[in-house]
Amino acid sequence: MLTEQFQIILQNAIQLLPRIVAAVVVFVLGVVLANAAASAIKRTASKRIEHPETVNVLSRLVRWAIIALAAVIALDQVNFDVTAFLTGLGIAGVTIGFALQDIAQNFVAGIILLLRRPFCIGQAVNIAGFSGSVLDVQVRDTTIRTWDGEVVVLPNKQVLSEPITNYSQSDNRRRTIIVGLSYEQDLDQIKETLLQTVSSVEGVLQDPAPMLHGEELGDYTVNVAIRFWLNQRTHSLLDVHSDVVFAIQKVARERGIDLPYPIQVVHLPDMTSASKPATE
């Protein structure tokens, strides 16, 4: 009995062997074709699409679509009921989808981000409180390297739902420096001096020109805001900001401009009477 069953199995295997070989060949050829097509799509799209993350997603979608098609054709070679399998897979997919809602939401959010392109790889951004440069954008998550060198991976669902600040979108950036001036000084004259000083710093744009506005009457100073613009493509934002601060401090020292600091008056009780011994 066992010998007859073994012979039947062996006979069926021999009959299916050509189909199995054909299925393996079809799948291998499909994988090779998928890799070649993905490379071709990447080369062609990179010449017309300036965003590398979009090019990567397109090449991956093409690659996996061809592999899936090759798998279906290979399964059909061994008389596998592909229709029933896809039907069952669809039913199972609904069940799995409920269990993997976060992954599905991140995937959809990633597609939306790649279509809208609010930022590109290498740009400086602030997302969900994390500031840094974009390292990579995948269909599931976005990777940012913060200014402190830390690598942060954010789910795309969070990226899409949070405000996105793209610092690299514009060439010009405005900076603000708050300065406290003494009440006893000629503020009109000081205003002209500070504006001339800021304008003379390398990297500060003349159009729009630096501005100085009063902010508030503080407890011990008149607080003014000095605002200026710079081109972040040609100059370092932090370096120009630092140079402006140093220039203001230098001209204040040379021109005798009082930049007062907080002064607190502490009243101490007279302890001399308490320390004297009582007299009879």
Side-chain angles (χ1 to χ4, degrees), residues 27-46:
F27 184 75
V28 171
L29 290 176
V31 173
V32 173
L33 178 61
N35 293 333
S39 300
I41 289 292
K42 183 175 293 186
R43 287 194 304 269
T44 304
S46 60

Side-chain angles (χ1 to χ4, degrees), residues 30-185:
V31 173
V32 173
L33 178 61
N35 293 333
S39 300
I41 289 292
K42 183 175 293 186
R43 287 194 304 269
T44 304
S46 60
K47 298 178 181 179
R48 301 183 179 182
I49 302 176
E50 59 178 335
H51 303 284
E53 61 273 12
T54 305
V55 175
N56 291 335
V57 171
L58 286 176
S59 63
R60 289 169 184 167
L61 289 176
V62 171
R63 180 175 183 271
W64 285 110
I66 295 177
I67 290 178
L69 180 61
V72 171
I73 297 175
L75 291 174
D76 186 62
Q77 295 298 316
V78 292
N79 296 328
F80 186 82
D81 193 347
V82 178
T83 303
F85 175 74
L86 292 178
T87 303
L89 188 62
I91 298 174
V94 174
T95 305
I96 297 174
F98 284 106
L100 303 177
Q101 288 185 9
D102 288 341
I103 295 178
Q105 290 175 358
N106 287 325
F107 180 83
V108 174
I111 297 298
I112 295 174
L113 286 174
L114 292 171
L115 293 176
R116 291 180 55 189
R117 297 192 300 270
F119 49 79
C120 301
I121 294 176
Q123 289 187 332
V125 297
N126 181 292
I127 304 174
F130 296 97
S131 295
S133 59
V134 180
L135 288 182
D136 192 16
V137 181
Q138 301 289 340
V139 292
R140 184 186 177 277
D141 50 49
T142 298
T143 306
I144 297 175
R145 185 187 297 278
T146 67
W147 305 132
D148 295 330
E150 300 173 346
V151 176
V152 180
V153 179
L154 296 173
N156 284 333
K157 181 180 69 173
Q158 182 180 3
V159 174
L160 191 63
S161 62
E162 294 284 344
I164 300 173
T165 303
N166 190 331
Y167 299 115
S168 302
Q169 197 70 33
S170 302
D171 293 340
N172 296 340
R173 293 276 303 277
R174 193 184 75 174
R175 303 293 291 176
T176 300
I177 298 175
I178 304 297
V179 179
L181 303 174
S182 173
Y183 278 96
E184 286 76 21
Q185 301 180 99

